[in-house]
Amino acid sequence: MKHLFKTFCAACCIAFSLNGVQAQELLSPNGSLAMTFEVQDGGRPVYSLTYKGKTVIKPSALGMTFKDNTNLCDGLHVENVERSSQDETWTPVWGEESAIRSHCNELLVHLKQDRHNRRVDIRFRLFDDGLGFRYEFPMQRELNYFVITDECTQFAMTGDHTAYWIPGDYDTQEYDYTRSRLSEIRRYMDGSITDNLSQTSFSLTGVQTALMLKTDDGLYINLHEAALVNYPCMHLNLDDKNFVFTSWLTPDPNGDKAYMQSPCHTPWRTVIVSDDARDILASRLTLNLNEPCKIADTSWIKPCKYMGVWWEMITGKSDWSYTWDVPNVHLGETDYGKLKPHGRHGATTANVKRYIDYASLHGFDALLVEGWNIGWEDWFGNSKDEVFDFVTPYPDFNVAEIRDYAKQKGIKMIMHHETSASIRNYERCMDDAYRFMKENGYDAVKSGYVGNIIPNGQNHYNQWQVNHYLYAVKKAADYKVMVNAHEAVRPTGLCRTWPNLIGNESARGTEYQAFGGSKPGHTTILPFTRLIGGPMDYTPGIFENDIQKLNPDNHSWVNTTLCNQLSLYVTMYSPLQMAADLPENYDRFLDAFQFIKDVAIDWEKSWYLEAEPMEYVTIARKAKGKDEWYVGGTNGEQPRTSQVDLSFLPAGKYVATIYKDGKNAHYKENPQTYTISSQKVTPKTYLKIWTAAGGGYAVRITKAE
């Protein structure tokens, strides 16, 4: 790794007088972005941001309020400033490229408030693709142990921008996105809040990050946070008269936001900006603001392509539970051997072996099994503390037999830990659960946090719960276990520091296609929002749209074409990719299934070819260590023709295998029609590929023999 962090005083950081008050200007390395910091009348700290001369963030307030009725919002003066630059190239364990450059200029402002003899530092880092800043509290008697009641960080917009948003919520991100003007958020809020098993709204103009915005003059702006550690998740609350967002932290049961002990710091607040939407997708700012990897030996962390005993339960074809004989379960007391099975249990030894056979036959790495452990009869909605023990299987799930069979077939098993949001129970069981996993050949776990958090009154995104998610990841690393957490707080780049955090859900995933369906353009906005913080276990690959064919009582419809599903393996980046449908559905489309079998899951280089939020995303990637390139084009609700420039290929001759929507394809009317063709291509080739409404395409490129 090349690493350079040096102090400097040059054109990239300039002090000047603004309205009689000294201001500090910080330029990005290429000069396209300029950040200005000043302390205005009354000692109020303010920052602003421009891109190529256009204002991105108007003068916006900074500061904190505390439980002792004091604040760090005014009465401040600059004691000193430090300037430095950073230029490093680091190697991710897995990712969208094999090397990432972090190049920025930094301004560290030391502020003092005389009336309380308190100090706070604000650290700004300006990259060519955006700004990151955070509050830092040096050790001091007057801020020793303290409680934050509000963070007063503002993001003042220049106008009534178009926003791509989901409702602010302390417990879920599992919403479809709404596109509207900022002034229309209030009008559309009620309709955007759809049912969830745990949800807590807080404002008619509150939205979640990562928030995507587009200005009328063509700027793309993304607001988010990075390195969320020991602090509550930040939402944004909009003053829709003045178009100013203010940070809104998830509270604890007392209404407090963060309990701090100096020296300490907040997460980074981030603003990614460009006049080209593709640059938002290419940004690595969120990762670059996180600390380097803390795991010395990462050889056990491996990207994984898997199948699962999952979709049949999601659709209602089978159940997680084993019996209907008892109204409730007591761990260690309920004798399942005396209970009659209801015959709908999915995680049986025989069924799991069938999936193992199929995954092995088609070259997959692993298999996830849900509903294997006792307790699913009354697992949700009862504020039940000891809901699962994570080590006791149902009578029809033979752990040892499945372990040995999977090993014989070359398949790794993925454990499932649904906590039912009972946090104390999971933490006291965690060591035993991880040991049990390793003893039985499980190197990865999918954890879940469905329902209201137990203890009652906590929320999914407050400081206490955020600390739990990281505790689980760190504990897993002790056992060399990879974690894929569902219903957890949305990622903020911590996978750089803890790369065993190999996936998260933390958004509206494929399961909602069986819960009534998602909007056709859903996966064309997620790369601009949810994926800014880290990879998503979206669980793509659904080939059968009509869920009623699996469960006559479920009338849901998967609102994509089959080729749209193929495209997601390239455009929805994750080192953990699932082929989520049932084996029998893949058997009907084995030629299309071939792309899922072939596509890589770890990448050497990525190119962002076309992009427009909620409309379309086209990405090309080179497989790590192989002369194979893949292109995915995911389309939204309007049909279009994609222009694919293959100039990213090295000089030479290649063969492109193209999977694309059929002539009359449509996500609702004709989703399963597609064509597969091959043609010779070179770096000078342009492919024109028509995509249907809710459609897409996938391309595999190899060297010509």
Side-chain angles (χ1 to χ4, degrees), residues 496-677:
R496 176 186 179 182
T497 311
W498 299 97
N500 67 314
L501 181 56
I502 200 167
N504 282 105
E505 182 192 37
S506 306
R508 187 182 178 98
T510 296
E511 63 187 1
Y512 277 84
Q513 297 283 17
F515 302 160
S518 295
K519 294 178 181 178
H522 186 56
T523 49
T524 61
I525 187 58
L526 287 175
F528 290 96
T529 52
R530 163 62 184 79
L531 271 71
I532 292 294
M536 180 178 178
D537 182 31
Y538 186 72
T539 62
I542 303 302
F543 283 7
E544 177 51 65
N545 298 72
D546 188 355
I547 304 303
Q548 194 171 359
K549 292 181 179 179
L550 305 181
N551 173 10
D553 296 325
N554 187 338
H555 301 284
S556 299
W557 184 270
V558 179
N559 291 317
T560 75
T561 68
L562 189 149
C563 282
N564 176 288
Q565 291 290 308
L566 296 183
S567 75
L568 302 179
Y569 290 90
V570 182
T571 61
M572 291 284 292
Y573 169 68
S574 178
L576 185 72
Q577 288 284 22
M578 186 182 196
D581 211 336
L582 307 185
E584 49 266 39
N585 289 333
Y586 290 130
D587 280 340
R588 295 161 52 204
F589 306 99
L590 284 175
D591 54 354
F593 187 47
Q594 186 64 43
F595 182 83
I596 299 177
K597 294 163 60 174
D598 289 336
V599 67
I601 48 175
D602 199 13
W603 305 103
E604 186 173 308
K605 182 70 175 174
S606 296
W607 298 268
Y608 302 87
L609 306 182
E610 301 176 309
E612 182 64 26
M614 208 174 275
E615 298 293 341
Y616 53 85
V617 173
T618 305
I619 300 175
R621 307 189 194 271
K622 183 185 185 298
K624 188 179 288 185
K626 295 182 180 180
D627 287 330
E628 296 177 1
W629 293 260
Y630 294 85
V631 182
T634 303
N635 193 37
E637 195 159 7
Q638 297 302 317
R640 66 180 295 269
T641 298
S642 178
Q643 308 274 351
V644 186
D645 178 0
L646 299 186
S647 61
F648 58 83
L649 292 170
K653 296 180 179 180
Y654 303 87
V655 175
T657 304
I658 304 168
Y659 303 74
K660 63 182 181 179
D661 294 325
K663 182 178 180 180
N664 298 314
H666 186 278
Y667 73 90
K668 195 74 172 178
E669 305 301 330
N670 196 15
Q672 293 174 327
T673 181
Y674 59 91
T675 65
I676 303 173
S677 62

Side-chain angles (χ1 to χ4, degrees), residues 429-487:
C429 293
M430 201 173 283
D431 282 291
D432 288 341
Y434 287 152
R435 275 194 294 267
F436 178 82
M437 284 178 56
K438 299 303 290 186
E439 290 167 359
N440 289 282
Y442 294 78
D443 295 330
V445 62
K446 173 185 174 181
S447 55
Y449 295 89
V450 174
N452 294 328
I453 296 294
I454 305 168
N456 294 329
Q458 300 287 350
N459 293 105
H460 281 75
Y461 309 146
N462 64 20
Q463 182 185 28
W464 184 83
Q465 187 63 16
V466 164
N467 288 345
H468 162 78
Y469 299 132
L470 186 54
Y471 172 80
V473 171
K474 291 179 178 179
K475 177 68 71 172
D478 292 341
Y479 289 89
K480 296 187 175 181
V481 166
M482 296 178 286
V483 176
N484 167 27
H486 283 225
E487 294 88 32

Side-chain angles (χ1 to χ4, degrees), residues 276-317:
D276 188 331
R278 296 174 298 175
D279 294 338
I280 306 298
L281 304 182
S283 174
R284 301 293 174 257
L285 182 146
T286 310
L287 289 174
N288 285 331
L289 288 171
N290 276 266
E291 294 183 10
C293 178
K294 292 189 176 182
I295 301 174
D297 173 20
T298 59
S299 60
W300 51 275
I301 301 173
K302 299 183 184 299
C304 174
K305 196 184 298 183
Y306 73 107
M307 301 187 75
V309 183
W310 174 75
W311 189 241
E312 61 182 79
M313 283 90 83
I314 292 294
T315 59
K317 180 178 184 290

Side-chain angles (χ1 to χ4, degrees), residues 27 124-125 134-135 151 164 188 214-215 223 324 339 367 422 433 476 521 590 642 646 649:
L27 300 181
F124 298 92
R125 287 184 182 169
R134 72 182 185 189
Y135 303 91
E151 181 184 317
Y164 307 81
Y188 292 125
K214 184 179 180 181
T215 71
L223 305 180
W324 295 325
L339 301 177
L367 182 75
S422 180
L590 284 175
S642 178
L646 299 186
L649 292 170

Side-chain angles (χ1 to χ4, degrees), residues 48 103 161 476 497:
S48 58
H103 189 197
H161 303 335
T497 311

